[in-house]
Amino acid sequence: MRAFLCVLLFAGGVGAIEAESARYLGVKYVLDPLGEGFGYDADPVRREDAFDCLTFVETAMADAGMKDLQCIRYRDCKIDFVGRNHFLEIDWIANNSDIVEDITASLGLPVRTVSTVVDRSAWLLDKHKIESACGAFPAEFDIIAVADIARLRIDEPVLALFAMGKIDGAIFSHIGFLIPGADQRIVLRHASSKAGRVLDEDLIAYVRRRGKEISGITVLRINN
């Protein structure tokens, strides 16, 4: 996969993810609440009173000491709209490869491979009227089908990326933490647009509720 790279390393630990993310339970959902504090998207660079699914994950990971928030959100840690990690598929995962790792294929469950091409330049021009030379990039991921998610087992917090139909070439349109619960149940902690807040939900109940909107999940380990 070709992508932007950020190589600045910070100390951190997955053990703090559960506690830090829990601090934001109940905080309201607002789509795209963060920006650069200036220019095209002048929303604040950090806030704790509103999240969407990705900014919740990013803020909790930064609070857990995984990496500085602006280094999680931006290529080369430089606050700039064009350099923001807009797409999970070609930006966010690759630029945060020092703190996350795709472990989907190693979980002992059947997987299928999905692929796409994200045209970053076309998206910036069509959606934001910004001309750029970013180009188009291929991406390929393994996903666990909905029918097999009930057999997923984890022993530490991980990230789940939900494949929910391609929009602008993107495979994933939702992200949240999976946290081990009692009796091998898994809790999905996420900022939910439907609920209007950050909350904990049983993963299987969530998947069943979303029905055919979800085709599967990709799982990322959060590395110390």
Side-chain angles (χ1 to χ4, degrees):
M1 182 191 307
R2 184 180 176 189
F4 302 107
L5 299 177
C6 178
V7 296
L8 184 59
L9 300 178
F10 283 74
V14 68
I17 289 290
E18 186 171 353
E20 293 298 335
S21 61
R23 296 197 302 117
Y24 299 117
L25 289 171
V27 173
K28 67 182 177 181
Y29 179 96
V30 172
L31 181 63
D32 193 21
L34 300 186
E36 287 68 55
F38 63 90
Y40 180 80
D41 186 348
D43 287 335
V45 295
R46 179 185 172 101
R47 59 189 294 189
E48 299 183 358
D49 64 332
F51 297 109
D52 60 18
C53 64
L54 183 56
T55 57
F56 165 62
V57 163
E58 292 172 329
T59 302
M61 291 180 72
D63 289 354
M66 306 303 297
K67 200 158 73 168
D68 187 83
L69 180 59
Q70 74 183 57
C71 291
I72 295 175
R73 285 180 53 78
Y74 296 95
R75 170 170 51 107
D76 297 330
C77 307
K78 181 181 178 181
I79 297 176
D80 173 72
F81 180 81
V82 174
R84 191 195 300 177
N85 293 326
H86 292 286
F87 288 92
L88 288 165
E89 296 81 2
I90 63 168
D91 297 326
W92 199 93
I93 296 171
N95 292 347
N96 287 294
S97 61
D98 51 337
I99 56 173
V100 297
E101 175 187 1
D102 187 344
I103 59 169
T104 310
S106 67
L107 294 172
L109 297 173
V111 300
R112 67 181 179 90
T113 302
V114 294
S115 60
T116 190
V117 174
V118 179
D119 192 330
R120 210 172 189 278
S121 292
W123 177 78
L124 284 167
L125 183 61
D126 294 345
K127 300 296 183 181
H128 303 285
K129 310 305 178 188
I130 295 174
E131 294 186 358
S132 74
C134 291
F137 303 94
E140 186 174 273
F141 290 89
D142 292 325
I143 67 170
I144 299 169
V146 168
D148 295 308
I149 292 175
R151 296 193 286 136
L152 178 64
R153 298 291 179 263
I154 59 173
D155 57 11
E156 63 180 4
V158 297
L159 284 171
L161 284 63
F162 293 83
M164 303 173 81
K166 293 182 180 179
I167 302 171
D168 294 317
I171 296 168
F172 307 112
S173 54
H174 193 55
I175 187 172
F177 295 109
L178 300 185
I179 298 173
D183 300 323
Q184 296 187 327
R185 299 176 75 85
I186 297 176
V187 173
L188 169 62
R189 180 168 293 166
H190 65 136
S192 166
S193 59
K194 182 176 179 62
R197 67 187 188 278
V198 177
L199 78 164
D200 285 347
E201 290 190 72
D202 178 83
L203 173 63
I204 303 307
Y206 172 79
V207 170
R208 287 173 178 166
R209 174 168 63 80
R210 298 306 300 264
K212 293 182 179 180
E213 293 177 315
I214 297 175
S215 59
I217 63 171
T218 292
V219 179
L220 305 182
R221 174 187 288 129
I222 304 168
N223 294 323
N224 293 325

